């Protein structure tokens, strides 16, 4: 199917503007920049395939984020993930400001969460989505989002503070 | 890091700003790959359309191209009916008030639901053929009673709870080796496990067009359907339904057709037989398209699978 240059230009402009943000979301989901790039490539290809729809919706970023998260969850179920360079191939350093050790610990802890739990935490606490918006993105119940959030945070706390019985909520 | 919600958010923001290698995303390569995939998809859809129009179809596989072959539960079709389902519900509890089909970039969805914000939701999905069911990290497959004589499993995060705290998944193998999934939640039934298994046993596998409430006497030949959203009932409304069909053409042209028993905002709309239709078009004349549309009324026995006919 021939695509016009206007179509391509508009797509390229959007991806150029938003790929850094999408790559960060992908990194938080995958825990690895190389895997994040693979995921981003898959998601951006899907965006191109459906670009006429993406530009027709009010919330293009929400659409792109949903495509990215669904691609991540689908590929965690498939053999694709086994072909991706695993965590540890490139030891990224966190941003210079803040608690370096804490952030590295958080990264390791996040990677150990089940994919849907990780996706829920990233959507709720990085993308700042409500419970309802997260449920819509993941096509699950709000109750499921709440339970996954609670379990995910609890698990992170236990991994980050293995000896703490009581932590702040 | 003590990790309350604010600290988790701050930690994620800092993690996302981690030192990163240069991105390997190549937008030009993405466009080239996607164009190849569109050509392949179009070829498959043309074949699929011909098959749906009269030739027996034995399989369900929908090829997106390349090595990421997925199995869709419903998809768009460039044939006479823009919406085809590859698996369908049979028996459903009396509380179910409709079955929705949504296909497009978000993936493919077939969902049956009961009324109310917290009425039962039942999602139908399909997976590739494999010896064993797909199982996500952190989940366990527990044997369930066979479905139509083939293996079935409860997929749960808690091996002590097959129904996963009310967010229940049953996956069963279907003839040909693929796996079907029924995901149910907000179920009020006394024995939700038995209800899910009864629903699963009556799911039928096979490609068939979904009847729609309109007929279109000819569409511009350069338009391809890209998405169909048929919410039954509406996404937030238990008493009405809404159909939206999205078409795209070259040079950025596009057409959106919406049908509902409810009046919708829009400049190019028409009402007939108790239904309302609105057309939004870029690069085409919406009123000309409106004239080609016949609304078939609210009685779904009168709906058709020959939606787009030759002008």
């Amino acid at each position: 199917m021939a695509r016009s240059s206007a179509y391509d230009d508009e797509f390229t402009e959007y991806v150029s503007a938003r790929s850094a943000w999408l790559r960060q979301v992908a990194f938080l989901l995958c825990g690895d920049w190389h895997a994040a790039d693979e995921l981003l490539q898959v998601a951006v290809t899907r965006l191109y395939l459906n670009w006429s729809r993406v530009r027709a919706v009010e919330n293009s970023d929400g659409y792109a984020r949903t495509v990215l998260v669904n691609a991540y969850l689908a590929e965690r179920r498939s053999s694709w993930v086994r072909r991706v360079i695993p965590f540890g191939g490139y030891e990224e350093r966190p941003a210079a400001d803040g608690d370096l050790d804490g952030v590295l610990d958080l990264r390791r802890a996040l990677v150990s969460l089940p994919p849907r739990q990780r996706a829920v935490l990233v959507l709720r606490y990085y993308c700042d989505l409500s419970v309802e918006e997260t449920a819509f993105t993941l096509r699950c119940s709000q109750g499921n989002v709440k339970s996954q959030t609670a379990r995910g945070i609890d698990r992170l706390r236990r991994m980050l503070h293995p000896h703490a019985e009581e932590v702040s909520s | 890091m003590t990790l309350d919600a604010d600290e988790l958010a701050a930690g994620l923001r800092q993690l996302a700003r981690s030192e990163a290698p240069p991105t390997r995303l190549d937008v030009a390569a993405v466009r080239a790959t996607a164009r190849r995939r569109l050509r392949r998809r179009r070829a498959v859809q043309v074949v699929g359309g011909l098959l749906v129009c009269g030739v027996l179809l034995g399989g369900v596989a929908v090829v997106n191209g390349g090595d990421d072959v997925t199995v869709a539960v419903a998809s768009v079709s460039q044939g006479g009916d823009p919406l085809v389902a590859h698996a369908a519900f049979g028996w459903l509890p009396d509380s179910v008030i409709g079955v929705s089909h949504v296909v497009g970039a978000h993936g493919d969805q077939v969902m049956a639901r009961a009324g109310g914000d917290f009425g039962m939701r039942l999602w139908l999905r399909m997976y590739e053929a494999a010896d064993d069911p797909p199982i996500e990290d952190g989940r366990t497959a527990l044997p369930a009673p066979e479905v139509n004589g083939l293996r079935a499993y409860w997929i749960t995060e808690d091996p002590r709870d097959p129904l996963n705290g009310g967010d229940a998944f049953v996956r069963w193998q279907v003839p040909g080796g693929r796996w079907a999934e029924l995901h149910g939640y907000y179920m009020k039934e006394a024995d939700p496990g038995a209800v899910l298994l009864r629903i699963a046993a009556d799911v039928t596998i096979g490609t068939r067009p979904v009847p729609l409430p309109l007929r279109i006497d000819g569409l511009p030949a350069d338009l391809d359907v890209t998405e169909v959203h048929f919410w039954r009932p509406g996404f937030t409304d238990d008493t009405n339904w809404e159909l939206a069909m999205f078409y795209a053409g070259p040079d950025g042209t596009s057409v959106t057709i919406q049908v509902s028993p409810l009046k919708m905002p829009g400049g190019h709309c028409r009402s007939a037989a108790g239904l309302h239709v609105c057309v939004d078009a870029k690069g085409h004349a919406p009123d000309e398209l409106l004239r080609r549309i016949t609304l078939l009324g609210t009685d779904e026995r009168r709906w058709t699978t020959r939606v787009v006919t030759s002008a």
Side-chain angles (χ1 to χ4, degrees):
Chain A
M1 181 188 299
R3 293 274 166 180
S4 71
S5 61
Y7 187 104
D8 281 0
D9 289 349
E10 206 175 302
F11 168 79
T12 304
E13 184 183 344
Y14 177 81
V15 172
S16 301
R18 306 305 286 152
S19 64
W21 163 70
L22 284 169
R23 191 181 187 222
Q24 288 179 335
V25 177
F27 171 67
L28 293 177
L29 292 170
C30 300
D32 176 273
W33 285 110
H34 297 296
D37 280 346
E38 298 277 354
L39 176 63
L40 185 60
Q41 186 98 0
V42 171
V44 169
T45 302
R46 289 183 188 175
L47 283 181
Y48 182 86
L49 289 170
N50 296 281
W51 184 243
S52 57
R53 175 66 183 131
V54 179
R55 62 185 179 175
V57 300
E58 251 178 51
N59 183 2
S60 302
D61 286 348
Y63 200 100
R65 182 175 50 222
T66 300
V67 169
L68 181 81
V69 173
N70 283 343
Y72 163 72
L73 292 174
E75 282 153 0
R76 289 286 135 170
R77 285 193 295 261
S78 76
S79 58
W80 175 87
V81 70
R82 290 193 284 273
R83 301 202 303 270
V84 173
I85 299 165
F87 170 71
Y90 177 94
E91 191 61 27
E92 297 89 358
R93 293 164 53 81
D97 55 326
D99 175 5
L100 296 184
D101 289 340
V103 171
L104 281 174
D105 288 345
L106 175 61
R107 179 181 170 214
R108 291 191 190 96
L110 265 180
V111 166
S112 71
L113 294 183
R116 283 185 80 84
Q117 237 168 55
R118 208 179 321 159
V120 165
L121 293 185
V122 170
L123 290 172
R124 294 275 288 113
Y125 296 106
Y126 182 70
C127 300
D128 207 22
L129 299 192
S130 66
V131 170
E132 187 179 9
E133 289 165 333
T134 304
F136 183 68
T137 300
L138 295 174
R139 286 188 275 159
C140 67
S141 67
Q142 294 182 40
N144 182 254
V145 170
K146 288 176 186 170
S147 66
Q148 295 275 12
T149 303
R151 284 182 211 163
I153 288 185
D154 182 56
R155 196 159 162 178
L156 287 181
R157 283 172 176 162
R158 280 188 278 116
M159 281 186 283
L160 295 171
H161 303 281
H163 305 299
E165 293 294 323
E166 295 287 334
V167 289
S168 57
S169 58
Chain B
M1 187 176 290
T2 53
L3 204 72
D4 61 18
D6 289 341
E7 283 160 342
L8 176 57
L12 289 173
R13 283 195 297 273
Q14 196 181 352
L15 188 53
R17 296 199 311 271
S18 297
E19 183 184 317
T23 180
R24 293 188 291 158
L25 180 68
D26 180 341
V27 179
V30 163
R31 289 199 306 258
T33 303
R35 282 196 201 101
R36 283 197 299 276
R37 193 163 298 181
L38 277 170
R39 284 194 291 272
R40 281 200 293 266
R41 179 191 285 181
R42 198 173 207 197
V44 168
Q45 284 168 336
V46 167
V47 173
L50 291 171
L51 290 166
V52 165
C53 287
V55 183
L56 268 180
L57 179 64
V60 174
V62 172
V63 179
N64 280 335
D67 54 0
D68 58 341
V69 177
T70 59
V71 178
V73 70
S75 62
V76 295
S77 166
Q78 308 303 334
D81 191 326
L83 176 62
V84 294
H86 306 291
F89 286 112
W91 179 85
L92 286 166
D94 290 341
S95 58
V96 168
I97 57 174
V99 178
S100 298
H101 294 76
V102 181
V103 296
H106 285 103
D108 51 283
Q109 305 170 7
V110 173
M111 182 188 71
R113 79 166 175 90
D117 287 344
F118 299 99
M120 176 175 61
R121 303 292 197 269
L122 298 162
W123 297 84
L124 191 57
R125 297 192 182 97
M126 296 290 295
Y127 295 95
E128 292 175 357
D131 291 340
D132 296 310
I135 305 171
E136 297 82 351
D137 292 349
R139 292 192 183 187
T140 303
L142 301 175
E146 288 185 345
V147 172
N148 299 323
L150 293 171
R151 286 187 297 151
Y153 296 90
W154 302 111
I155 307 297
T156 178
E157 292 173 9
D158 181 354
R160 296 162 301 180
D161 176 16
L163 296 184
N164 197 36
D167 195 25
F169 296 81
V170 59
R171 289 181 186 155
W172 70 102
Q173 202 158 31
V174 298
R178 291 179 300 273
W179 291 86
E181 175 189 280
L182 182 61
H183 172 199
Y185 51 89
Y186 298 155
M187 296 181 75
K188 314 287 191 298
E189 279 68 14
D191 187 352
V195 171
L196 286 171
L197 289 170
R198 183 176 174 192
I199 295 169
D202 218 31
V203 165
T204 53
I205 307 297
T207 299
R208 70 206 69 194
V210 177
L212 298 180
L214 77 166
R215 192 173 59 244
I216 307 170
D217 297 322
L219 272 175
D222 58 359
L223 289 177
D224 283 334
V225 63
T226 57
E227 299 221 3
V228 178
H229 299 190
F230 195 12
W231 288 103
R232 300 181 69 198
F235 191 60
T236 56
D237 178 349
D238 283 354
T239 55
N240 289 293
W241 48 260
E242 54 202 59
L243 167 68
M245 303 188 297
F246 302 90
Y247 289 84
D251 303 321
T253 58
S254 64
V255 170
T256 303
I257 300 170
Q258 291 176 275
V259 182
S260 174
L262 277 180
K263 273 204 166 175
M264 296 165 286
H268 304 280
C269 301
R270 195 161 60 76
S271 302
L275 297 179
H276 307 279
V277 57
C278 292
V279 173
D280 181 33
K282 192 184 290 182
H284 292 279
D287 290 325
E288 162 60 17
L289 292 168
L290 263 181
R291 276 194 290 275
R292 299 181 183 207
I293 294 173
T294 303
L295 294 171
L296 302 179
T298 54
D299 181 354
E300 62 183 271
R301 290 171 300 184
R302 298 174 63 87
W303 294 358
T304 185
T305 56
R306 298 189 62 188
V307 177
V308 182
T309 60
S310 299

